[in-house]
Amino acid sequence: MSRKHHHLKESEVSCCVKYFLFGFNILFWLLGAAFLGIGLWAWAEKGVLSNLSTITDLGGLDPVWLFVVVGGVMFILGFAGCIGALRENTSLLKFFSVFLGLIFFLELTAGILAFVFKDWLKDQLNLFINNNVKAYRDDIDLQNLIDFAQEYWSCCGAHGPDDWNMNIYFNCTDLNPSRERCGVPFSCCVKDPAEDVINTQCGYDVRLQWTMYIMVWI
C-alpha cells in the first residue's frame, strides 16, 4: 500500500513539472510565432516577399531581420520544448536542451571575443553605424530604428552631427539640392518638454549655422 502511494506521489510531481514546462514553452512558441509573423508582414508590406532579391539591396541593417531571425529561433525552440514536454519525447527535449546550450555557448564566446578584440569590434561598430547613416532614408524601418536609438541615447551619429555628411540628403556639399542639406534628423534635437507635437524640421540647417558661426568667430 505504501509503495503504491509513493508511486502516485512521484507521478503527480512529474505531471506538474511536465505541464509547467509545456505552459512555459507554449508561451515561448506563441511569442516566437508573433515575432515571425510581424517580420513576414513587414516584408510583405515593403514588397520584399514578392521580390526576394531586394533583401540585400539595403546598404544598412533591415530591422525586420531581427524579428524574422529571433522569431524563427523562438518558434523552433518553443515547438520542440512544447511537444517534447507534452509527449515526453526525449529526442525533442534533447534537441531543446542542446539548442539552448549552444545559444549560451555562443553568447559566452561572443562576450569573450568582444573583450579580447575590443579595438577591432569598435572599428566594426563604427563602420556598421556609418553604413546605416548612409542608408537612413532608404528604409522606413531603419529610419525609425536610428531615430529611436538617437533619442534614447541622446546622441547624433556615431561621433557627432558631422557624421550625417555621409548621407546624401544631409551632406553639406554645394551641389546638394536637398532641403535637409547641412542638417540632422529631428531625433538629434533636444526636445522641449513644453512641446506636445514633435518638430520634425528642428534639424534643418543646424550644421550650416554652426559653420557660419565658426567662420565669423575666426
Side-chain angles (χ1 to χ4, degrees), residues 96-209:
F96 177 78
S97 302
V98 170
F99 211 145
L100 279 182
L102 180 62
I103 291 175
F104 175 77
F105 175 75
L106 290 175
E107 289 180 346
L108 182 62
T109 304
I112 294 173
L113 291 176
F115 178 77
V116 174
F117 300 103
K118 54 186 177 182
D119 292 333
W120 177 84
L121 182 64
K122 183 179 180 181
D123 293 338
Q124 294 302 310
L125 183 60
N126 286 332
L127 179 62
F128 174 76
I129 294 175
N130 291 339
N131 287 335
N132 284 287
V133 165
K134 293 177 185 177
Y136 176 75
R137 290 296 191 200
D138 296 347
D139 184 82
I140 187 63
D141 294 321
L142 176 62
Q143 181 176 315
N144 290 334
L145 179 63
I146 292 175
D147 286 333
F148 169 78
Q150 291 193 144
E151 288 179 336
Y152 185 80
W153 281 293
S154 300
C155 60
C156 190
H159 301 98
D162 284 338
D163 286 349
W164 286 96
N165 268 329
M166 292 180 290
N167 187 281
I168 60 173
Y169 297 96
F170 295 97
N171 71 61
C172 273
T173 58
D174 294 333
L175 298 178
N176 183 9
S178 172
R179 178 61 188 86
E180 295 175 309
R181 173 180 175 269
C182 284
V184 292
F186 73 92
S187 53
C188 286
C189 302
V190 178
K191 302 296 182 297
D192 185 352
E195 290 184 351
D196 296 328
V197 180
I198 297 176
N199 179 13
T200 56
Q201 299 180 357
C202 63
Y204 283 12
D205 301 326
V206 293
R207 289 188 295 118
L208 180 62
Q209 295 169 6

Side-chain angles (χ1 to χ4, degrees), residues 59-73:
L61 170 70
D62 186 351
V64 179
W65 272 110
L66 299 177
F67 284 91
V68 173
V69 173
V70 173
V73 171

Side-chain angles (χ1 to χ4, degrees), residues 13-29:
V13 173
S14 177
C15 185
C16 290
V17 172
K18 181 174 76 172
Y19 284 107
F20 172 77
L21 288 174
F22 172 75
F24 173 79
N25 281 291
I26 199 170
L27 291 175
F28 199 67
W29 183 26

Side-chain angles (χ1 to χ4, degrees), residues 79-81 83-85 87 89-97:
F79 176 81
I83 303 301
R87 304 291 297 178
N89 187 309
T90 55
S91 298
L92 286 176
L93 289 176
K94 286 179 180 177
F95 171 79
F96 177 78
S97 302

